[in-house]
Amino acid sequence: MLELRHRGVGPGPGGAGAPPPPEGVAAGGDHEAESTSDKETDIDDRYGDLDSRADSEIPEIPPSSDRTPEILKKALSGLSSRWKNWWIRGILTLTMISLFFLIIYMGSFMLMLLVLGIQVKCFHEIITIGYRVYRSYDLPWFRTLSWYFLLCVNYFFYGETVADYFATFVQREEQLQFLIRYHRFISFALYLAGFCMFVLSLVKKHYRLQFYMFAWTHVTLLITVTQSHLVIQNLFEGMIWFLVPISSVICNDITAYLFGFFFGRTPLIKLSPKKTWEGFIGGFFSTVVFGFIAAYVLSKYQYFVCPVEYRSDVNSFVTECEPSELFQLQSYSLPPFLKAVLRRERVNLYPFQIHSIALSTFASLIGPFGGFFASGFKRAFKIKDFANTIPGHGGIMDRFDCQYLMATFVHVYITSFIRGPNPSKVLQQLLVLQPEQQLNIYKTLKMHLIEKGILQPTLKV
Amino acid sequence: MNELRLRAVRDPDAPPVEKESEPEVKADGETASDSENRVEAAPLVTPADDTPEVLNRALSNLSSRWKNWWVRGILTLAMIAFFFIIIYLGPMVLMIIVMCVQIKCFQEIITIGYNVYHSYELPWFRTLSWYFLLCVNYFFYGETVTDYFFTLVQREEPLRILSKYHRFISFTLYLIGFCMFVLSLVKKHYRLQFYMFGWTHVTLLIVVTQSHLVIHNLFEGMIWFIVPISCVICNDIMAYMFGFFFGRTPLIKLSPKKTWEGFIGGFFATVLFGLLLSYVMSGYRCFVCPVEYNNDTNSFTVDCEPSDLFRLHEYNIPEVIQSVIGWKIIRMYPFQIHSIALSTFASLIGPFGGFFASGFKRAFKIKDFANTIPGHGGIMDRFDCQYLMATFVNVYIASFIRGPNPSKLIQQFMNLRPEQQLHIFSTLKSHLIDKGMLTDTTED
């Protein structure tokens, strides 16, 4: 904030502070003094906006503190700096992948907690960048308000989605029933309280900053919280819907990097100079193949394929079911040109593998746009990494930027092509209706089921 | 805009004076942005006078203050008359008007963004903002149309496909816009572009969601649209009147003209107004019935048996008021009780929307959002207090009034897999048996 206050003085003394400068020159000179310090903000400066001025004033981000653990450093002390960096990245990559496997092994509940943890950390990283850009650390209310809004939105989403899955558990507890029935109203009231606090906290000289932080918070919530909830909804559909997309994105990252490393020649986009067309296309093909194989391997196990359910008798999550049609081997006849290549007439595939091709295609073609978006963001705000959480890689957001669009795509894909409405939600809504309405619906459903032959007219089900 | 562009080039005559004023400015402790704007002169651009000629001539004799008062008064009456005409014309016209208001509000806020960031020279950006508006509207209208026009949609083949894959199509459209944004990032304008992207999304969040909630309320019954909006308007006017005649203690630093007397007087007046208005409106079917689309006549109908809410009930007046009014029982519509809740929200929390807009205008140093309405400013200026009202009414209806939509539930049920249908059927059956609505042997 101090820097902002001194803006009138800051670069001023350099250009306009010198008492008798030729006034006409000072007019332009003032800006010259600032813009020479950073060529890139030349055009931003002409607009003379608060933010673009602050652009040239943000000191270059100091080199990130080295968080590499001591042991690694000692082990790699012999190598040159470039190889050392490569090794650190490699080791951390393997560590993250093993952590991933470990959590998968531990079950869906741990996965949910992990997703929640990542969401909170991503939110924290982006908000911290906002604070630095706007130097608003001194608006103490604002940190409280941002975290409060995060809490509200999470409460709303968890109430809407997760409560559906715990319907049987919820039916038992009286207080929970009350919370569920008036859930929207309670969430809205909580949000309103935050909104009113924001309005009351507007301080005369900091209006613009406060509005910027308000908007920044909301856009961040839009990005991180909605994505994380879609991820959890995909997870409930079946862990395979969570694993295959995420691994496809990770595989695309790694293989595009490797292909680019060995064969890279033509640059892909000005925004990320290190990406190449060879890496892009090579990554695309390898990801499709990887997705295909991963889908094949995972489709065999009930653990991955079944929707996650909460059983009230055992008070835990179970994944046991009769695998749906998607996950049962079917025979497909190969098209002629593949017949010649593979010399087989038919091949046994899971239908899910066909869907995995669509998922991997999205991961390789559109996923990178999420990465470019994050690169553009980092360049816009002149930061090298979102944070320093992971040595060699940067912050959590850096790892998850390509996942950004994937979760939404998978969710939309599932609702459009795979399943219909969510049965638990339908049931929950049915139970909320008036008894007369329930009776009417019961009769309609009964007629429908008998027509379809699902229900025998004489048998009591 | 010219004044704003010229900010970079200072008035050659001004600087000596300004340099001296700088130390005083700093002593004030104002942020540099404030001092910068003062120093660079260019007072707030006075809005071009949009008042029609005829009004100008008619009022040319009065002093400037009274003239302003008359212009505002006449325009207020004009807007209220316009409101009545549209209500008379029916739900379809109302929907169209809501959509137009939404587009105009969006345009006003985006234009402010352009002015703040001087990003008129990024031509892609205007296209992208409007494109995003189109996508989000397509998504919301598609969801609404699918719900309410279900039978019509099922009939027409292309509509059925559009509705089945609606989310996928909307998402694809949005993705295209997103990719275009990424591809349009230009080296020196990154920050500006990200700002405009964020600005567009927040504006969409505010403007488009509100307008769709308004339309949902409308479909619930026109009374749910009219009573809340009139309460907010009444609160505006009443608070102004009470403040004008009795105003003494300022309410909040953000809006120096608001007073506690106006606030409290407006509150009571609005609750009373809400009670009276709901009493009047609850008598008419055209206001009270949910709007439905009739397949045979291919139009909107509002015909139904009024629900329990809109039938006169007798209530016992509590002792306290009995002595005052001298009546033992009173006949009211239950809806009037709900209208007390609605008016209370309109008078107590609605003004926060107004303060939010005032803060916004101060933050970006604009006097009004635009000059659309003479004497009043832009469309957003009139609708800032409505901002929260629509969401509140929608949440209120969903929580307290109606449950889920039975026909929609049946439709969702039909889409489930057979084993899921069976499971739900048996759960429903055991639930009904528990409640005693069904006996185990006879199912009647």
Side-chain angles (χ1 to χ4, degrees), chain A residues 103-117:
Chain A
I103 297 190
I104 293 172
Y105 178 72
M106 281 165 58
S108 4
F109 188 66
M110 290 304 297
L111 265 174
M112 268 177 67
L113 285 182
L114 178 71
V115 170
L116 183 63

Side-chain angles (χ1 to χ4, degrees), chain A residues 4 7 30 47-48 446, chain B residues 7 10 26 32 36 121 443:
Chain A
L4 285 173
R7 264 181 38 182
D30 202 16
Y47 299 127
K446 186 166 168 207
Chain B
R7 263 175 45 180
R10 297 198 194 184
K26 285 197 302 278
E36 166 199 355
E121 286 99 37
E443 291 173 359

Side-chain angles (χ1 to χ4, degrees), chain A residues 4 7-9 30 43-44 47-49 55 134 205 208 211-212 376-377 380 421 423 429 445-446 448, chain B residues 7 10 22 26 29 32 36 116-118 121 188-189 191 194-195 356 359-360 363 409 413-414 416 420 443:
Chain A
L4 285 173
R7 264 181 38 182
V9 187
D30 202 16
I43 302 203
D44 289 352
Y47 299 127
D49 183 81
D55 214 319
Y134 294 114
K205 297 176 186 50
R208 191 182 279 217
F211 270 94
Y212 278 155
F377 181 84
Q429 289 184 311
L445 295 185
K446 186 166 168 207
H448 170 82
Chain B
R7 263 175 45 180
R10 297 198 194 184
E22 261 188 44
K26 285 197 302 278
E36 166 199 355
V116 170
Y117 294 113
H118 301 278
E121 286 99 37
K188 294 188 182 51
H189 304 292
R191 188 179 282 218
F194 271 94
Y195 279 156
F356 186 82
F360 181 84
L409 277 182
F413 184 85
M414 305 296 185
L416 290 172
Q420 294 170 318
E443 291 173 359

Side-chain angles (χ1 to χ4, degrees), chain B residues 101-107 109 133 201-212 380 387:
Chain B
V101 167
Q102 173 209 102
I103 293 180
K104 192 73 180 67
C105 287
F106 182 79
Q107 196 227 353
I109 302 185
L133 176 69
H201 279 70
V202 176
T203 312
L204 285 173
L205 197 70
I206 294 178
V207 170
V208 179
T209 53
Q210 297 298 309
S211 86
H212 278 272
M380 261 318 275
Y387 168 49

Side-chain angles (χ1 to χ4, degrees), chain B residues 271-324:
Chain B
V271 170
L272 210 60
F273 171 81
L275 279 172
L276 289 170
L277 184 68
S278 15
Y279 182 78
V280 167
M281 290 200 140
S282 300
Y284 298 93
R285 272 202 194 162
C286 66
F287 294 128
V288 150
C289 292
V291 174
E292 272 158 14
Y293 183 77
N294 201 332
N295 274 320
D296 330 322
T297 61
N298 256 8
S299 69
F300 289 101
T301 50
V302 268
D303 208 8
C304 68
E305 190 59 38
S307 84
D308 201 38
L309 269 186
F310 302 103
R311 274 182 257 167
L312 278 173
H313 282 220
E314 296 195 346
Y315 291 92
N316 290 324
I317 303 187
E319 301 275 322
V320 165
I321 311 187
Q322 246 182 34
S323 40
V324 171

Side-chain angles (χ1 to χ4, degrees), chain B residues 46 76 134 288 337 350 392 409:
Chain B
T46 44
T76 308
L134 206 73
V288 150
I337 318 269
F392 175 75
L409 277 182

Side-chain angles (χ1 to χ4, degrees), chain B residues 317-333:
Chain B
I317 303 187
E319 301 275 322
V320 165
I321 311 187
Q322 246 182 34
S323 40
V324 171
I325 304 188
W327 288 352
K328 287 235 171 33
I329 51 173
I330 188 172
R331 302 186 66 190
M332 282 202 316
Y333 294 100

Side-chain angles (χ1 to χ4, degrees), chain A residues 333-345 347:
Chain A
S333 35
L334 285 173
F337 60 89
L338 276 180
K339 254 194 237 182
V341 171
L342 295 172
R343 259 169 283 158
R344 288 163 71 146
E345 292 274 325
V347 68

